[in-house]
Amino acid sequence: MEKMYLTPAETVRTIVDNGKRVLTQSRLRTFVLSLLAGFYIGFGAQLATVVTQDAAAFAGRGVAALLGGSVFSLGLMLVVICGAELFTGNSLLTSSALHGEITWGQLLENWGIVIVGNLAGSLFFAGLMFESQLWMNGSVADNAIKVAAAKCQLPFTVALVRGILCNWLVCLAVFMATAARDVSGKMLACYVPIMAFVASGFEHSIANMYFIPTGLLLAGKLGREVPGLSWGAFFQDNLLPVTLGNILGGVLFVAFAYWYVHLKVDTRR
C-alpha cells in the first residue's frame, strides 16, 4: 500500500532537498513564480473581503472570522498545489541553509526576489479588483477600507507579534502539505492552519500587500479621509513589523526547530 504521508523527519529532509532549487532556478523564473503567489493570495484575500462584508451582522463576529479564514485558505492551496514562490512559506528555506545545502547569501537573494515579486503581484491584483468595480456591490468597499485602516493602526509591537504567530501557522501548513502525498491531503493541510490564523486575527505580510492597497485605492476613489490609512503607514507601520514578525515566526519556530530536532540532533547521534 502506498504511503499516504511522510513522517516529520522525512518531511524536514524533503524541505531541505526542495530548498536546493535556488541553486538551479533562474532569477526570472523565481520572480514569475513570486508574481503568481501574489495573485493567488490576492484571490483568497478578495474572497474573504466579500464573504465577511456582512456576515457578522447575521452570524456573529466569531463565525464571520471563521468564514473569512476558511475562504482565505484558497490562497495557500493555489500556491502549494499549483506551484508558486511565497515569501512567508520560503522561511522554510532556512532549513536548507542550516544544513549547508544552500548558502545564506542565496537564501537572502531568494527572499529579496520573492518579496518584491509578491508585492508586485499583490499590487497588480489589487488594481484589477479595483477596475472590476465589484467593490460597488453591497458593503464590500466599506469592509475593505475598514480592514485596511485597522491594520495600519496597529502598534509596532502588536503587529510584530501577530506576524510571528501568523507565519508560525503558515509554515506549519506548508510543512504538513509537504508531508501529505495527495491533493486532498495537501488542501486539508493548508485549510486548517490558515483558517486558524485568519480567524485569530494574526498578520500576514503578503496578504496585507493586497488588503491595505485595496483599502487605499477605494478610500481615494470614494473621497474618504481615514485616520491612519496612508501609503506611508502601509509600509512603515504595518509591512515592516509584520514582515519581521513573519520571518521570526517561520524561521525560529518551524524551520530551525524541526531542523534541529530531526537533522542536527540525528547527525550528532
Side-chain angles (χ1 to χ4, degrees):
M1 182 177 178
E2 185 179 357
K3 191 172 183 179
M4 297 300 293
Y5 62 93
L6 302 179
T7 66
E10 292 169 336
T11 303
V12 174
R13 294 188 181 94
T14 300
I15 289 171
V16 168
D17 289 339
N18 289 344
K20 291 189 288 186
R21 71 182 182 275
V22 305
L23 299 174
T24 57
Q25 183 168 282
S26 71
R27 294 180 179 87
L28 180 59
R29 177 184 171 88
T30 299
F31 183 73
V32 171
L33 288 170
S34 66
L35 284 175
L36 294 176
F39 302 155
Y40 297 160
I41 297 301
F43 275 118
Q46 163 63 13
L47 187 56
T49 304
V50 173
V51 168
T52 59
Q53 63 175 304
D54 56 1
F58 296 98
R61 293 180 60 185
V63 174
L66 175 64
L67 291 173
S70 295
V71 299
F72 181 85
S73 65
L74 167 69
L76 189 64
M77 292 179 191
L78 293 174
V79 168
V80 168
I81 297 170
C82 299
E85 294 273 353
L86 181 64
F87 173 74
T88 46
N90 279 17
S91 295
L92 292 176
L93 292 179
T94 306
S95 298
S96 299
L98 287 166
H99 212 57
E101 299 294 343
I102 62 175
T103 68
W104 291 101
Q106 289 167 329
L107 171 67
L108 294 176
E109 180 184 74
N110 175 270
W111 281 1
I113 295 172
V114 170
I115 197 169
V116 170
N118 289 168
L119 176 60
S122 298
L123 292 175
F124 180 77
F125 192 83
L128 287 180
M129 295 311 302
F130 177 76
E131 293 298 332
S132 75
Q133 297 190 0
L134 290 171
W135 48 268
M136 298 176 67
N137 299 326
S139 56
V140 174
D142 291 335
N143 193 33
I145 294 171
K146 179 180 69 175
V147 169
K151 290 178 177 296
C152 285
Q153 293 167 2
L154 293 174
F156 189 97
T157 302
V158 171
L160 178 75
V161 172
R162 291 186 186 184
I164 291 172
L165 296 169
C166 168
N167 209 33
W168 194 342
L169 284 172
V170 171
C171 286
L172 286 175
V174 176
F175 190 97
M176 293 194 297
T178 303
R181 298 288 85 190
D182 58 10
V183 172
S184 60
K186 291 179 183 297
M187 292 178 68
L188 182 61
C190 291
Y191 169 73
V192 179
I194 301 306
M195 175 275 294
F197 105 66
V198 176
S200 298
F202 302 153
E203 293 288 314
H204 188 267
S205 57
I206 312 306
N208 290 354
M209 292 176 183
Y210 170 83
F211 280 125
I212 299 176
T214 298
L216 283 162
L217 290 172
L218 293 175
K221 177 68 174 180
L222 298 174
R224 297 185 187 176
E225 291 290 336
V226 183
L229 182 60
S230 67
W231 288 101
F234 164 47
F235 286 105
Q236 180 177 329
D237 299 334
N238 184 272
L239 197 56
L240 175 60
V242 171
T243 300
L244 292 174
N246 286 169
I247 292 171
L248 290 172
V251 169
L252 292 179
F253 296 110
V254 185
F256 174 79
Y258 282 101
W259 168 81
Y260 182 83
V261 169
H262 293 294
L263 294 180
K264 178 70 172 179
V265 173
D266 287 349
T267 300
R268 286 180 176 177
R269 289 174 180 170

